[in-house]
Amino acid sequence: MATGLPDSVVERAASMTWYAFALKYLAMKWPHAAPNTHNGINEALTAVTMALLDDRPGQLSEELIRRALRNWAFVLPGPNERELPTEIANTLH
């Protein structure tokens, strides 16, 4: 009613972040995938995540972000299921 547009046209807020979606996707696919497929999933999620990041002043280095994603975020057990080094935890946060 507020915009005057039909519900089918009104943009809705995302129900989850890309990162949360990527972790959920990883948890669904990883257990049933072959080791080479693990690497492909990891690389694809990392590449898309890097592409979605905006350049901001004071942003962490691309190398650090990529390392945190490849070695800690997009593998199982996931980052919420194990203790992370402080630098990695801060990067993923």
Side-chain angles (χ1 to χ4, degrees), residues 4 13 16 24 31 40 49-51 54 57 64 66-67 79 83 91-92:
M16 71 173 58
K24 192 172 184 175
T49 303
M50 294 301 295
D54 293 330
L64 176 59
R66 186 174 293 280
R67 185 166 34 99
E83 192 169 328
T91 300
L92 295 177

Side-chain angles (χ1 to χ4, degrees), residues 1-82:
M1 297 293 281
T3 65
L5 297 173
D7 285 343
S8 61
V9 179
V10 175
E11 289 189 32
R12 300 191 195 320
S15 61
M16 71 173 58
T17 65
W18 161 255
Y19 182 67
F21 172 80
L23 291 179
K24 192 172 184 175
Y25 176 84
L26 177 80
M28 177 187 66
K29 290 291 191 179
W30 195 271
H32 310 290
N36 283 341
T37 304
H38 287 172
N39 190 46
I41 292 169
N42 184 300
E43 189 59 43
L45 291 175
T46 298
V48 171
T49 303
M50 294 301 295
L52 291 172
L53 294 176
D54 293 330
D55 288 331
R56 296 181 180 202
Q59 182 173 330
L60 299 170
S61 74
E62 185 175 316
E63 187 273 327
L64 176 59
I65 297 170
R66 186 174 293 280
R67 185 166 34 99
L69 293 172
R70 290 267 303 146
N71 298 336
W72 296 92
F74 297 142
V75 295
L76 288 186
N80 299 330
E81 300 161 358
R82 59 189 166 152

